[in-house]
Amino acid sequence: MVMRIGRVELRVMDMDRSIDFYTNVLGLEIVGRSKNQAYFKAWDEYDHHSLILTAADAPGLASFGLKVANNDELASLEKRVEQFGLPTKRVSKGERLGEGEYIRFELPTGHQCELYYDIERVGTKVGVLNPDPWPDNLSGIAPHRLDHIAITGEDVNHATRFFTDVLNFGQSEKIVAGENGELELASFLFAKNGGKPHDIAFVKGPNNMFNHVGFYVDSWEQVLRAADITTKNNVPSALTPQRHGITRGLTTYFFDPNGNCNEAFSHGYITYPDFPTITWTEDNFDTAMLYHYRKQPEAIVNGTV
Amino acid sequence: MAKYKITVKNYESAIYECREEQDLLGQAILARVPFSVACRSGGCGICKIKVIDGRYQRGICSKKTLPDEERENNYSLACKTYPKSDMVISVENIRR
């Protein structure tokens, strides 16, 4: 069983400015550095890192990792991925800081996906014994956790099949077209024992492209504050605070110094494995995405990298 | 700080001003020249221009959206282009 999306690796062109942005504006904690990489975690996360920045000559998603419940699950999922026809590779411990062995494969949409269980646990500053509700000295937006990613691919139906049939994800919502609503334009997929409305969203578009990474904040007030912080720091905005139709989440979008789109995301319902999939029709695409704005935001559409 | 005249050749010959520490896109937006805009960080490439005349400095831009070959042919991303003289440019993606 996959527990959640546990880590995201982004390509960055300007490492110094990116470290400053992710530390002081987004407000993550830097936990490690190597020659070409920087590692971060949100304050409410226990594992060594949830975000890796990798030096590159273009922005985008280098890889993302799904954390599974234990190493037996890892072995069994490895087989299922192979049976689906995707070649897998075992990457040994020590390739990255804090990480143990993991499995890597390419999704039908061209994205690099990892499955892992072993990662160093560093804990949180508030600890697990009589903890305070939040630690002192947070800076910037300071989200609780990595929440989800949105990526594009040509065949969303096929991506959905892989995640539901092989990785046992649930589908919380979808946007469909076609006479019988069989063509998926977008698909929202969640790890079944997680409860979030999405860990991964696929939107129909070119293969191997990255739309955004979402980080969780816990109120509408915090979404507004996130937008305040981006303006104060002269960070390019992609979308002012809004509500999604899908997930009912509250949101604001902005860009990191390389053009990787970030989202501060809040609320959204809790979902369960026995919930039905919610369907939106093509004519309601814009309402589904942004319930008030009801059009496609130019910056988010054009900002896919 | 020097202030330069930027002429946009393919949009009603719009002319606006830009200082050498300012990027061409930011001042175009203030001057209501309808560039397509997204990341404003040298990543997405939507604000691509061709420089027809003039000197400029370029900040870090994605090699995926602005490959070396285009750099050699005087293409740039307006959000990371800083003028060093008066410039004449054309915009690849005019916003309709």
Short mmCIF file of all heavy atoms in Angstrom, two decimals, chain A residues 143-187:
data_model
loop_
_atom_site.label_atom_id
_atom_site.label_comp_id
_atom_site.label_asym_id
_atom_site.label_seq_id
_atom_site.Cartn_x
_atom_site.Cartn_y
_atom_site.Cartn_z
N PRO A 143 4.55 25.87 5.39
CA PRO A 143 3.46 24.90 5.27
C PRO A 143 3.71 23.70 6.20
O PRO A 143 4.82 23.49 6.67
CB PRO A 143 3.55 24.45 3.81
CG PRO A 143 4.99 24.65 3.44
CD PRO A 143 5.42 25.88 4.20
N HIS A 144 2.62 22.94 6.45
CA HIS A 144 2.76 21.74 7.28
C HIS A 144 3.51 20.63 6.55
O HIS A 144 4.29 19.90 7.15
CB HIS A 144 1.38 21.20 7.67
CG HIS A 144 0.71 22.03 8.69
ND1 HIS A 144 0.67 21.69 10.01
CD2 HIS A 144 0.06 23.22 8.60
CE1 HIS A 144 0.02 22.62 10.70
NE2 HIS A 144 -0.36 23.56 9.86
N ARG A 145 3.22 20.49 5.26
CA ARG A 145 3.76 19.31 4.55
C ARG A 145 3.68 19.51 3.05
O ARG A 145 2.96 20.38 2.55
CB ARG A 145 2.94 18.07 4.92
CG ARG A 145 1.48 18.21 4.55
CD ARG A 145 0.74 16.88 4.50
NE ARG A 145 -0.54 17.05 3.82
CZ ARG A 145 -1.69 17.19 4.45
NH1 ARG A 145 -1.77 17.16 5.77
NH2 ARG A 145 -2.81 17.35 3.74
N LEU A 146 4.43 18.67 2.35
CA LEU A 146 4.21 18.47 0.93
C LEU A 146 2.83 17.85 0.79
O LEU A 146 2.50 16.92 1.53
CB LEU A 146 5.28 17.50 0.39
CG LEU A 146 5.05 16.89 -0.99
CD1 LEU A 146 5.14 17.96 -2.07
CD2 LEU A 146 6.08 15.79 -1.25
N ASP A 147 2.02 18.34 -0.15
CA ASP A 147 0.67 17.80 -0.26
C ASP A 147 0.45 16.99 -1.53
O ASP A 147 -0.03 15.86 -1.48
CB ASP A 147 -0.36 18.93 -0.19
CG ASP A 147 -1.77 18.39 -0.03
OD1 ASP A 147 -2.14 18.08 1.12
OD2 ASP A 147 -2.48 18.24 -1.04
N HIS A 148 0.77 17.56 -2.69
CA HIS A 148 0.46 16.88 -3.96
C HIS A 148 1.26 17.49 -5.11
O HIS A 148 1.86 18.54 -4.96
CB HIS A 148 -1.04 16.98 -4.26
CG HIS A 148 -1.50 18.40 -4.52
ND1 HIS A 148 -1.95 19.24 -3.52
CD2 HIS A 148 -1.54 19.14 -5.66
CE1 HIS A 148 -2.27 20.41 -4.04
NE2 HIS A 148 -2.02 20.40 -5.34
N ILE A 149 1.23 16.81 -6.25
CA ILE A 149 1.76 17.41 -7.47
C ILE A 149 0.69 17.33 -8.56
O ILE A 149 -0.19 16.46 -8.52
CB ILE A 149 3.04 16.72 -8.00
CG1 ILE A 149 2.83 15.21 -8.19
CG2 ILE A 149 4.22 16.99 -7.11
CD1 ILE A 149 3.95 14.53 -8.96
N ALA A 150 0.80 18.24 -9.54
CA ALA A 150 -0.04 18.17 -10.74
C ALA A 150 0.89 18.13 -11.94
O ALA A 150 1.80 18.96 -12.05
CB ALA A 150 -0.98 19.36 -10.83
N ILE A 151 0.70 17.13 -12.79
CA ILE A 151 1.58 16.92 -13.94
C ILE A 151 0.71 16.66 -15.18
O ILE A 151 -0.47 16.34 -15.04
CB ILE A 151 2.56 15.75 -13.69
CG1 ILE A 151 1.83 14.47 -13.29
CG2 ILE A 151 3.56 16.14 -12.60
CD1 ILE A 151 2.76 13.31 -12.90
N THR A 152 1.30 16.83 -16.36
CA THR A 152 0.49 16.62 -17.57
C THR A 152 0.97 15.40 -18.34
O THR A 152 2.14 15.02 -18.29
CB THR A 152 0.51 17.86 -18.50
OG1 THR A 152 1.82 18.01 -19.05
CG2 THR A 152 0.14 19.13 -17.76
N GLY A 153 0.02 14.81 -19.07
CA GLY A 153 0.32 13.65 -19.90
C GLY A 153 -0.71 13.54 -21.01
O GLY A 153 -1.83 14.03 -20.87
N GLU A 154 -0.31 12.87 -22.09
CA GLU A 154 -1.19 12.77 -23.26
C GLU A 154 -2.36 11.83 -23.00
O GLU A 154 -3.47 12.10 -23.41
CB GLU A 154 -0.39 12.26 -24.47
CG GLU A 154 0.52 13.33 -25.06
CD GLU A 154 1.61 12.76 -25.96
OE1 GLU A 154 1.48 11.59 -26.40
OE2 GLU A 154 2.60 13.48 -26.19
N ASP A 155 -2.10 10.72 -22.29
CA ASP A 155 -3.15 9.72 -22.08
C ASP A 155 -3.48 9.64 -20.58
O ASP A 155 -2.88 8.86 -19.84
CB ASP A 155 -2.69 8.36 -22.62
CG ASP A 155 -3.81 7.34 -22.67
OD1 ASP A 155 -4.84 7.54 -21.99
OD2 ASP A 155 -3.66 6.33 -23.38
N VAL A 156 -4.44 10.46 -20.16
CA VAL A 156 -4.79 10.51 -18.74
C VAL A 156 -5.48 9.21 -18.32
O VAL A 156 -5.24 8.70 -17.22
CB VAL A 156 -5.67 11.75 -18.44
CG1 VAL A 156 -6.12 11.77 -16.98
CG2 VAL A 156 -4.88 13.04 -18.75
N ASN A 157 -6.33 8.65 -19.19
CA ASN A 157 -7.00 7.40 -18.85
C ASN A 157 -6.00 6.30 -18.48
O ASN A 157 -6.18 5.57 -17.51
CB ASN A 157 -7.85 6.89 -20.03
CG ASN A 157 -9.03 7.78 -20.31
OD1 ASN A 157 -8.85 8.90 -20.77
ND2 ASN A 157 -10.23 7.31 -20.05
N HIS A 158 -4.94 6.21 -19.29
CA HIS A 158 -3.92 5.18 -19.06
C HIS A 158 -3.18 5.42 -17.75
O HIS A 158 -2.92 4.49 -17.00
CB HIS A 158 -2.95 5.19 -20.25
CG HIS A 158 -2.01 4.04 -20.28
ND1 HIS A 158 -2.44 2.73 -20.29
CD2 HIS A 158 -0.65 3.98 -20.31
CE1 HIS A 158 -1.39 1.92 -20.31
NE2 HIS A 158 -0.29 2.66 -20.32
N ALA A 159 -2.88 6.69 -17.47
CA ALA A 159 -2.22 7.03 -16.20
C ALA A 159 -3.11 6.65 -15.02
O ALA A 159 -2.66 6.09 -14.03
CB ALA A 159 -1.88 8.52 -16.17
N THR A 160 -4.41 6.94 -15.14
CA THR A 160 -5.36 6.58 -14.08
C THR A 160 -5.37 5.07 -13.86
O THR A 160 -5.33 4.60 -12.72
CB THR A 160 -6.79 7.05 -14.45
OG1 THR A 160 -6.77 8.47 -14.59
CG2 THR A 160 -7.80 6.67 -13.37
N ARG A 161 -5.42 4.32 -14.98
CA ARG A 161 -5.42 2.85 -14.86
C ARG A 161 -4.20 2.34 -14.13
O ARG A 161 -4.29 1.48 -13.26
CB ARG A 161 -5.51 2.19 -16.25
CG ARG A 161 -6.94 1.90 -16.68
CD ARG A 161 -7.00 0.89 -17.81
NE ARG A 161 -6.23 1.32 -18.97
CZ ARG A 161 -6.67 2.19 -19.87
NH1 ARG A 161 -7.87 2.72 -19.76
NH2 ARG A 161 -5.92 2.53 -20.91
N PHE A 162 -3.04 2.90 -14.46
CA PHE A 162 -1.82 2.47 -13.79
C PHE A 162 -1.91 2.74 -12.28
O PHE A 162 -1.63 1.86 -11.46
CB PHE A 162 -0.58 3.15 -14.38
CG PHE A 162 0.67 2.85 -13.61
CD1 PHE A 162 1.28 1.61 -13.73
CD2 PHE A 162 1.21 3.77 -12.72
CE1 PHE A 162 2.41 1.29 -12.98
CE2 PHE A 162 2.35 3.47 -11.97
CZ PHE A 162 2.95 2.22 -12.10
N PHE A 163 -2.31 3.93 -11.92
CA PHE A 163 -2.34 4.27 -10.49
C PHE A 163 -3.42 3.50 -9.73
O PHE A 163 -3.20 3.09 -8.59
CB PHE A 163 -2.51 5.78 -10.30
CG PHE A 163 -1.18 6.49 -10.31
CD1 PHE A 163 -0.60 6.89 -11.51
CD2 PHE A 163 -0.47 6.73 -9.14
CE1 PHE A 163 0.64 7.52 -11.54
CE2 PHE A 163 0.76 7.35 -9.15
CZ PHE A 163 1.33 7.75 -10.35
N THR A 164 -4.60 3.28 -10.34
CA THR A 164 -5.65 2.58 -9.61
C THR A 164 -5.42 1.06 -9.62
O THR A 164 -5.54 0.41 -8.59
CB THR A 164 -7.05 2.90 -10.21
OG1 THR A 164 -7.04 2.61 -11.61
CG2 THR A 164 -7.41 4.35 -9.99
N ASP A 165 -5.04 0.49 -10.78
CA ASP A 165 -4.93 -0.97 -10.88
C ASP A 165 -3.63 -1.50 -10.29
O ASP A 165 -3.60 -2.56 -9.69
CB ASP A 165 -5.03 -1.43 -12.35
CG ASP A 165 -6.39 -1.09 -12.95
OD1 ASP A 165 -7.24 -0.54 -12.22
OD2 ASP A 165 -6.58 -1.37 -14.15
N VAL A 166 -2.54 -0.76 -10.48
CA VAL A 166 -1.22 -1.28 -10.06
C VAL A 166 -0.86 -0.77 -8.66
O VAL A 166 -0.45 -1.53 -7.80
CB VAL A 166 -0.14 -0.89 -11.08
CG1 VAL A 166 1.23 -1.40 -10.64
CG2 VAL A 166 -0.49 -1.45 -12.45
N LEU A 167 -0.99 0.52 -8.44
CA LEU A 167 -0.57 1.08 -7.15
C LEU A 167 -1.73 1.19 -6.15
O LEU A 167 -1.54 1.65 -5.02
CB LEU A 167 0.06 2.47 -7.37
CG LEU A 167 1.31 2.50 -8.28
CD1 LEU A 167 1.86 3.92 -8.36
CD2 LEU A 167 2.39 1.55 -7.78
N ASN A 168 -2.93 0.74 -6.58
CA ASN A 168 -4.10 0.72 -5.71
C ASN A 168 -4.50 2.10 -5.18
O ASN A 168 -4.97 2.24 -4.05
CB ASN A 168 -3.87 -0.26 -4.55
CG ASN A 168 -5.18 -0.65 -3.87
OD1 ASN A 168 -6.23 -0.69 -4.51
ND2 ASN A 168 -5.12 -0.88 -2.57
N PHE A 169 -4.32 3.13 -6.00
CA PHE A 169 -4.80 4.47 -5.64
C PHE A 169 -6.32 4.53 -5.85
O PHE A 169 -6.88 3.75 -6.63
CB PHE A 169 -4.15 5.54 -6.54
CG PHE A 169 -2.83 6.07 -6.02
CD1 PHE A 169 -1.78 5.21 -5.71
CD2 PHE A 169 -2.63 7.43 -5.86
CE1 PHE A 169 -0.56 5.69 -5.25
CE2 PHE A 169 -1.41 7.94 -5.40
CZ PHE A 169 -0.38 7.07 -5.09
N GLY A 170 -6.95 5.48 -5.18
CA GLY A 170 -8.33 5.81 -5.47
C GLY A 170 -8.38 7.00 -6.41
O GLY A 170 -7.41 7.76 -6.52
N GLN A 171 -9.51 7.15 -7.10
CA GLN A 171 -9.71 8.34 -7.92
C GLN A 171 -10.82 9.17 -7.27
O GLN A 171 -11.97 8.73 -7.22
CB GLN A 171 -10.10 7.95 -9.36
CG GLN A 171 -10.21 9.15 -10.29
CD GLN A 171 -10.70 8.77 -11.69
OE1 GLN A 171 -11.62 7.98 -11.83
NE2 GLN A 171 -10.08 9.33 -12.71
N SER A 172 -10.48 10.33 -6.77
CA SER A 172 -11.48 11.15 -6.07
C SER A 172 -12.36 11.89 -7.06
O SER A 172 -13.57 11.99 -6.86
CB SER A 172 -10.81 12.13 -5.12
OG SER A 172 -9.91 12.96 -5.83
N GLU A 173 -11.75 12.44 -8.11
CA GLU A 173 -12.53 13.23 -9.07
C GLU A 173 -11.93 13.11 -10.46
O GLU A 173 -10.75 12.75 -10.61
CB GLU A 173 -12.56 14.72 -8.66
CG GLU A 173 -12.98 14.93 -7.21
CD GLU A 173 -13.59 16.28 -6.90
OE1 GLU A 173 -14.17 16.91 -7.81
OE2 GLU A 173 -13.50 16.70 -5.73
N LYS A 174 -12.72 13.42 -11.46
CA LYS A 174 -12.22 13.45 -12.83
C LYS A 174 -13.02 14.46 -13.65
O LYS A 174 -14.17 14.76 -13.31
CB LYS A 174 -12.31 12.05 -13.47
CG LYS A 174 -13.71 11.49 -13.55
CD LYS A 174 -13.70 10.08 -14.14
CE LYS A 174 -15.11 9.51 -14.13
NZ LYS A 174 -15.19 8.16 -14.69
N ILE A 175 -12.38 14.98 -14.69
CA ILE A 175 -13.07 15.82 -15.67
C ILE A 175 -13.07 15.03 -16.97
O ILE A 175 -12.01 14.54 -17.39
CB ILE A 175 -12.38 17.18 -15.89
CG1 ILE A 175 -12.12 17.89 -14.56
CG2 ILE A 175 -13.23 18.06 -16.81
CD1 ILE A 175 -11.36 19.21 -14.71
N VAL A 176 -14.25 14.88 -17.56
CA VAL A 176 -14.35 13.99 -18.73
C VAL A 176 -14.94 14.69 -19.95
O VAL A 176 -15.67 15.67 -19.83
CB VAL A 176 -15.22 12.75 -18.40
CG1 VAL A 176 -14.56 11.93 -17.31
CG2 VAL A 176 -16.63 13.16 -18.02
N ALA A 177 -14.59 14.15 -21.11
CA ALA A 177 -15.15 14.60 -22.39
C ALA A 177 -15.59 13.37 -23.17
O ALA A 177 -15.44 12.24 -22.69
CB ALA A 177 -14.11 15.39 -23.16
N GLY A 178 -16.11 13.58 -24.36
CA GLY A 178 -16.52 12.47 -25.19
C GLY A 178 -18.00 12.16 -24.98
O GLY A 178 -18.58 12.54 -23.95
N GLU A 179 -18.59 11.44 -25.94
CA GLU A 179 -20.04 11.21 -25.91
C GLU A 179 -20.49 10.51 -24.64
O GLU A 179 -21.51 10.85 -24.05
CB GLU A 179 -20.43 10.36 -27.13
CG GLU A 179 -21.59 10.94 -27.90
CD GLU A 179 -21.67 10.30 -29.27
OE1 GLU A 179 -22.19 9.17 -29.34
OE2 GLU A 179 -21.18 10.92 -30.25
N ASN A 180 -19.73 9.52 -24.22
CA ASN A 180 -20.11 8.79 -23.00
C ASN A 180 -19.24 9.18 -21.81
O ASN A 180 -19.18 8.46 -20.82
CB ASN A 180 -20.02 7.29 -23.25
CG ASN A 180 -20.82 6.88 -24.46
OD1 ASN A 180 -22.00 7.22 -24.55
ND2 ASN A 180 -20.18 6.21 -25.40
N GLY A 181 -18.56 10.30 -21.94
CA GLY A 181 -17.72 10.74 -20.84
C GLY A 181 -16.56 9.81 -20.58
O GLY A 181 -16.11 9.66 -19.45
N GLU A 182 -16.06 9.18 -21.64
CA GLU A 182 -15.02 8.17 -21.43
C GLU A 182 -13.61 8.76 -21.50
O GLU A 182 -12.66 8.14 -21.05
CB GLU A 182 -15.17 7.01 -22.42
CG GLU A 182 -14.81 7.32 -23.88
CD GLU A 182 -15.84 8.19 -24.61
OE1 GLU A 182 -16.94 8.40 -24.06
OE2 GLU A 182 -15.52 8.66 -25.70
N LEU A 183 -13.47 9.96 -22.05
CA LEU A 183 -12.13 10.53 -22.22
C LEU A 183 -11.80 11.44 -21.03
O LEU A 183 -12.45 12.45 -20.81
CB LEU A 183 -12.06 11.34 -23.53
CG LEU A 183 -10.71 12.01 -23.80
CD1 LEU A 183 -9.63 10.98 -24.12
CD2 LEU A 183 -10.83 13.03 -24.92
N GLU A 184 -10.77 11.06 -20.28
CA GLU A 184 -10.41 11.86 -19.11
C GLU A 184 -9.53 13.05 -19.51
O GLU A 184 -8.50 12.88 -20.14
CB GLU A 184 -9.68 10.99 -18.08
CG GLU A 184 -10.60 9.94 -17.47
CD GLU A 184 -9.93 9.12 -16.37
OE1 GLU A 184 -8.72 9.28 -16.13
OE2 GLU A 184 -10.65 8.30 -15.76
N LEU A 185 -9.97 14.24 -19.12
CA LEU A 185 -9.16 15.45 -19.34
C LEU A 185 -8.32 15.75 -18.10
O LEU A 185 -7.31 16.43 -18.18
CB LEU A 185 -10.08 16.65 -19.63
CG LEU A 185 -11.02 16.51 -20.82
CD1 LEU A 185 -11.88 17.76 -20.97
CD2 LEU A 185 -10.23 16.26 -22.11
N ALA A 186 -8.79 15.27 -16.97
CA ALA A 186 -8.03 15.44 -15.72
C ALA A 186 -8.45 14.33 -14.76
O ALA A 186 -9.59 13.88 -14.79
CB ALA A 186 -8.28 16.81 -15.10
N SER A 187 -7.52 13.92 -13.91
CA SER A 187 -7.78 12.81 -13.00
C SER A 187 -7.07 13.07 -11.68
O SER A 187 -5.89 13.42 -11.67
CB SER A 187 -7.26 11.51 -13.64
OG SER A 187 -7.45 10.42 -12.77
#
